[in-house]
Amino acid sequence: MSSGNSVPEPSLKDMSISDPQLSTKPFGRPMRDAHFLLDSSYNSLNHGSFGTYPKYVQQRLHECQAMSEARPDAFVRYQYPGLLDESRAAVATYLRVSVDEIVLLPNASVATNVVLRNMHFKEGDAVVHLSTVYGAVEKTIASISEITPLESINLAIAYPVSDDEVVDKFRTAVQRAKQAGKKIRLAIFDTITSMPGLRVPWERLVALCREEEVFSFVDAAHGIGQIELDIDNVQPDFLVSNLHKCVVLAQNIQPPLSCSHGGRWLYVPRGCAAFYVPRRNQNLIRTTLPTSHGFVPKQKPGQPTIFNPLPASNKSPFTLLFEFVATIDVSPYLCIKAALEFREKVCGGEEKIMKYCQQLANEAGAAAANMFATEVLDNDQRSLTKCAMTNVRLPLKIGSGKGEIRPMDVSNVINWLAYHLVEDYDTYASIFMHAEALYVRFSGQIYLEIEDYRRGAEALVELCRRVAKGEYLEGGS
């Protein structure tokens, strides 16, 4: 037992990581077998939803959890804040922004709620977003609209369209709303949309928001680790990027319907997201969700000061606001440095990772489109596929003809395909509908190679044949 009141320094540097955990391997099957936790038979083509992380990062995760359980109060009150600062600094360096402008949250949905629920909406206020916005974001706006006068302006986008068309439609929607007497308080858009997984001209949309004096919120859940985020030059008003992956399961649906959000493209365990708020806007964020000990209420005459049980600190109010938000497992926050170390030492750095994943996704899309006798979802400029995801139309038609899927059955077919892809072929990829057509979304990743996608496409060819025969109507799974 230590003597006095000394507290161990907040560092994990004494925790050794064995050399094999950092051994370099070629991308594809060798990388998967040496460094990832995936079952040898499971064909995971959907990193964009669920993802996984390396054994090296898992070891760091377990070490952090062990530290927390060994000395709970000493860890949470005195060690954790310093370790958290190290993680925030690592993310800030990666993103080339100030550490005082980065805090960590469980996921992008939390950040969306923080921004929206800190805004005070009045009659005539509106939020504008693309129709491809993540479903939970759209539902957050809807929920706030039930208790405030906020209006939602949903800008319909049916891909494939050019970046110019997206920007022009966005500008037109904002200007028309203003002419109608609306005040656009916030615009929300992605760096890469979820389903379909497509690159968005988010940099140009931020610039447009600045011209129109509208706050910009960038949902970069699929951003960090997949594409370059030049935040310092683009200067969004708010940006969040998941460092993990998550999957949402629709309740009371058999089989389960999976929805993607976020990106464990950086290989950090879930849940962990980086929330960027430039200093100029930090005064707008009054509280976290839930409200934390870091919240400082506006003092009213005769009202006593609310006691804060956490140690005093000279950090900025914005940083302290997010330092301790309720009791959760914060270990994923402390794995960021390990994830970045793995990417640099084992994978060869960001450029190599991003190049491989994007090229693989593009090759996978072309191969699957050839097998389906369909096409990859892209525009003439090929700007939509400048990321590590690709979307391929399935050989199924929605309609009332023979072998076609009735519109009322589309959700059932999507669920049936997803379930049997796992159950019959030990494979998973996201299936979704966009612009009245069914697609599969593949994610490129360093533990995959082209044969993995061919295997997945072969399974989908057979499953689509079964759908055309009406097997999904036979009841059960």
Side-chain angles (χ1 to χ4, degrees):
M1 180 179 295
S2 60
S3 60
N5 297 320
S6 63
V7 176
E9 288 296 314
S11 176
L12 296 174
K13 63 184 179 182
D14 294 330
M15 297 182 177
S16 61
I17 302 294
S18 57
D19 288 340
Q21 296 282 27
L22 287 176
S23 61
T24 58
K25 296 290 182 181
F27 291 164
R29 177 61 67 167
M31 175 66 72
R32 170 183 173 136
D33 291 345
H35 291 296
F36 284 86
L37 299 154
L38 293 163
D39 187 279
S40 60
S41 68
Y42 184 63
N43 195 20
S44 179
L45 307 179
N46 187 41
H47 196 92
S49 280
F50 210 10
T52 188
Y53 49 88
K55 299 172 186 176
Y56 177 67
V57 176
Q58 185 196 49
Q59 184 170 333
R60 185 60 56 92
L61 175 71
H62 291 171
E63 289 166 348
C64 293
Q65 290 170 333
M67 287 178 65
S68 175
E69 298 310 311
R71 308 174 74 246
D73 280 281
F75 178 81
V76 172
R77 296 174 186 274
Y78 305 110
Q79 289 183 275
Y80 166 66
L83 294 171
L84 179 64
D85 289 344
E86 292 179 10
S87 289
R88 289 175 47 242
V91 175
T93 299
Y94 181 96
L95 294 174
R96 300 189 298 278
V97 298
S98 170
V99 67
D100 294 330
E101 298 176 318
I102 289 287
V103 292
L104 300 180
L105 298 170
N107 54 62
S109 294
V110 171
T112 303
N113 276 265
V114 165
V115 172
L116 284 167
R117 297 184 190 279
N118 271 283
M119 302 185 83
H120 302 285
F121 297 110
K122 301 176 182 178
E123 199 69 40
D125 286 353
V127 170
V128 62
H129 64 83
L130 302 181
S131 59
T132 50
V133 73
Y134 182 58
V137 173
E138 189 170 8
K139 287 187 175 182
T140 299
I141 297 170
S143 72
I144 294 174
S145 298
E146 291 183 359
I147 58 175
T148 75
L150 176 66
E151 296 182 34
S152 173
I153 299 175
N154 187 341
L155 180 56
I157 299 290
Y159 287 103
V161 295
S162 69
D163 289 352
D164 287 344
E165 186 173 344
V166 171
V167 175
D168 289 344
K169 282 189 174 183
F170 208 92
R171 178 183 289 107
T172 300
V174 170
Q175 292 177 348
R176 284 180 177 172
K178 286 183 175 181
Q179 291 168 2
K182 306 297 181 185
K183 181 177 177 60
I184 308 298
R185 297 288 306 282
L186 186 71
I188 303 178
F189 43 86
D190 303 270
T191 52
I192 299 168
T193 55
S194 174
M195 287 190 280
L198 301 169
R199 184 76 154 77
V200 176
W202 68 278
E203 302 95 334
R204 294 173 61 185
L205 293 178
V206 169
L208 173 58
C209 287
R210 190 176 300 115
E211 292 173 13
E212 297 291 339
E213 298 183 334
V214 173
F215 282 117
S216 58
F217 181 94
V218 180
D219 185 349
H222 284 289
I224 191 169
Q226 184 179 173
I227 61 172
E228 185 76 16
L229 296 177
D230 194 5
I231 296 174
D232 192 46
N233 285 328
V234 179
Q235 281 292 301
D237 289 305
F238 307 97
L239 181 144
V240 64
S241 190
N242 281 348
L243 312 183
H244 71 272
K245 279 274 162 248
C246 69
V247 69
V248 179
L249 297 180
Q251 300 298 316
N252 302 321
I253 294 178
Q254 191 61 246
L257 170 66
S258 68
C259 306
S260 69
H261 189 37
R264 197 184 316 140
W265 301 94
L266 205 69
Y267 308 146
V268 176
R270 53 192 177 274
C272 181
F275 183 34
Y276 165 79
V277 181
R279 291 187 184 91
R280 67 180 184 273
N281 293 330
Q282 290 179 4
N283 65 301
L284 302 175
I285 306 298
R286 285 283 295 138
T287 181
T288 55
L289 289 174
T291 297
S292 70
H293 285 300
F295 175 69
V296 180
K298 294 179 180 179
Q299 204 65 28
K300 297 179 180 179
Q303 184 182 59
T305 301
I306 301 174
F307 175 67
N308 184 349
L310 300 177
S313 173
N314 59 2
K315 297 174 187 176
S316 73
F318 177 72
T319 300
L320 287 176
L321 194 62
F322 290 88
E323 188 166 88
F324 181 87
V325 184
T327 302
I328 62 172
D329 181 6
V330 296
S331 302
Y333 295 0
L334 310 183
C335 295
I336 294 171
K337 292 173 66 178
L340 292 173
E341 185 179 12
F342 178 87
R343 293 170 71 85
E344 181 63 33
K345 293 185 177 180
V346 177
C347 303
E350 297 304 307
E351 183 177 356
K352 185 177 179 181
I353 294 170
M354 292 180 188
K355 181 178 179 181
Y356 179 85
C357 291
Q358 181 172 325
Q359 286 184 348
L360 183 61
N362 290 339
E363 290 176 13
N370 183 58
M371 295 171 71
F372 298 161
T374 62
E375 70 285 330
V376 172
L377 184 59
D378 204 355
N379 56 25
D380 293 339
Q381 298 76 32
R382 298 293 183 263
S383 64
L384 303 179
T385 53
K386 290 182 178 179
C387 60
M389 294 194 287
T390 189
N391 311 272
V392 187
R393 185 169 61 84
L394 292 175
L396 293 169
K397 288 186 177 182
I398 300 171
S400 57
K402 183 178 180 181
E404 295 181 344
I405 303 165
R406 296 177 302 178
M408 62 183 291
D409 291 333
V410 168
S411 293
N412 289 338
V413 168
I414 290 174
N415 283 325
W416 189 92
L417 285 168
Y419 178 81
H420 284 280
L421 197 55
V422 172
E423 186 70 11
D424 300 350
Y425 298 95
D426 209 15
T427 295
Y428 194 85
S430 287
I431 312 294
F432 63 95
M433 184 177 75
H434 178 73
E436 303 304 317
L438 289 174
Y439 288 88
V440 59
R441 187 195 71 186
F442 294 128
S443 300
Q445 198 44 249
I446 62 170
Y447 53 74
L448 294 169
E449 47 198 39
I450 193 63
E451 288 306 317
D452 298 314
Y453 299 94
R454 290 197 177 103
R455 171 186 159 189
E458 287 173 358
L460 283 166
V461 167
E462 178 57 30
L463 287 173
C464 287
R465 288 197 190 105
R466 291 164 63 182
V467 166
K469 293 177 181 179
E471 188 172 329
Y472 69 94
L473 295 170
E474 294 176 5
S477 297

